[in-house]
Amino acid sequence: MTSVQDLIVPHLRALNTYQGVDPMEVLAEQAGIAPEDVIRLNGNENPYGPSPRVVEALGKFQHYNHYPDPGQRRLREALSDYLEVDPGRIVCGNGSDELIDMLLRMFVGPGDNVLLPTPTFGMYAFNTEVVGGDPVSVPRDDNFEIDLEAVRIAVTPKTKAVFLASPNNPSGNVATEAQIQGLLETGVLVVVDEAYYEFCGESVLPMVEDYPNLVVLRTFSKWAGLAGLRLGLGVMDPAISQTMMSMKPPYNVTLPAEVGLLASLEDRPTLMSRVQAIVQERDRMMSLLQQIPGVDPWPSRANFILCGLPEGRGKEIFEGLCRRGIFLRYFGNARLQDYIRISVGLPEETDAVIAALADLVGA
Ligand SMILES: *Cc1c(COP(=O)(O)O)cnc(C)c1O
């Protein structure tokens, strides 16, 4: 008899899983401290939480017994007004992660590949492997800019897509319109993940009408503080959105998520003033980091800062911070061995990170 494991499709038997962020309680136990003393700046979460209107609307919400609308009508109408694009071009997902997954399932199969200007968001490579495709890394240059020529050379008949984040996670820089145009001219699907758009204000959304191979992703996880509700969206050519609507799980976005999205859009001034506070705090953290000898922060347009650390000391400093109850994002791959990514939190969290970092680096 064959073992049940042999029945699993081969490419999923030894998958490199995606390392998501651990809950506060787990981190507290690791550091041997109380959960309220944990400083968790490893997931680019919004330190101010959701809009109070979301909390209020969900407090009143009762219809958990109903299925959500498979056609996403209210969501797509509301987002159409917000984004000023035709509702037929919009698809909502259970986080933008689900849109990444659906795009890969639509465009990529075993034997196909996806080009990834790296370092970048880990979900692209992970989900490519889940569908049996090959993620092909095309290293960004010394300033983390996309190497357009290298991408062009890497395109083969097996290449189905290029995925990039702008601002890029973890480097924080924005891709120029010219770079994206250069990628679009290769003719493969180009997915521009604008998860941090609201922190920088630069978008290629208007290009979607001119380029049927361009998909723009957004999320309510970061600027609107709804990471736990799971709400992302994509804007794309109607030919892509129609197929995506036909193949998606019918009830992929929950009713509470819909309530959260509508209430967030009604409270944009509050949410955008928090975004401004985060941007200001990012710039304050940047100047404090610059004052620590041996620490080399990269200019960022998002709600995090990638920081170079003294050579050969990245892992040790990351672990030292964990022992003090400060959890940042460490990647540990060859290129980012001596880097750490710090999400922008509350001012007192910045101060604690700066003090601990100065202490550890100086030690
Ligand atoms: C955080 C992040 C996301 C996450 O999106 P969800 O909507 O929470 O799934 C997507 N893309 C990038 C680049 C991110 O950093």
Side-chain angles (χ1 to χ4, degrees), residues 43-44 94-98 100 121 124 165 167 169 193 195-196 218-222 227 230-232 304 341:
N44 302 338
N94 192 276
S96 45
D97 287 353
E98 189 184 34
I100 295 166
F121 188 46
Y124 312 141
N169 178 1
D193 181 349
Y196 303 96
R218 298 273 184 89
T219 178
F220 279 63
S221 292
K222 312 289 165 48
R230 314 302 301 129
L231 217 143
F304 54 81
R341 191 196 67 197

Side-chain angles (χ1 to χ4, degrees), residues 76 80 83-92 205 207-212 214-216 233-242 244-245:
R76 293 169 98 193
S80 164
L83 301 169
E84 299 177 342
V85 298
D86 188 275
R89 289 180 176 273
I90 301 171
V91 181
C92 298
L205 196 60
M207 290 168 76
V208 171
E209 299 234 0
D210 298 327
Y211 292 92
L214 173 62
V215 175
V216 174
L233 66 114
V235 181
M236 59 202 87
D237 189 84
I240 308 177
S241 59
Q242 276 160 25
M244 192 180 275
M245 287 301 285

Side-chain angles (χ1 to χ4, degrees), residues 98-167:
E98 189 184 34
L99 288 145
I100 295 166
D101 178 55
M102 289 195 291
L103 286 165
L104 287 165
R105 283 195 281 148
M106 284 172 63
F107 285 88
V108 179
D112 296 333
N113 75 38
V114 175
L115 304 183
L116 304 174
T118 52
T120 193
F121 188 46
M123 288 297 290
Y124 312 141
F126 165 71
N127 272 313
T128 300
E129 289 184 351
V130 168
V131 300
D134 298 315
V136 174
S137 173
V138 183
R140 288 169 176 259
D141 73 11
D142 290 345
N143 293 318
F144 298 111
E145 293 292 337
I146 295 166
D147 185 342
L148 201 51
E149 200 44 41
V151 173
R152 280 204 196 101
I153 291 168
V155 173
T156 72
K158 288 179 185 302
T159 304
K160 296 297 164 67
V162 182
F163 275 69
L164 66 132
S166 180

Side-chain angles (χ1 to χ4, degrees), residues 330-353:
Y330 181 65
F331 301 95
N333 58 52
R335 178 139 183 213
L336 295 178
Q337 215 143 49
D338 293 322
Y339 287 86
I340 208 155
R341 191 196 67 197
I342 314 171
S343 306
V344 179
L346 301 170
E348 57 267 32
E349 294 178 311
T350 302
D351 294 339
V353 170

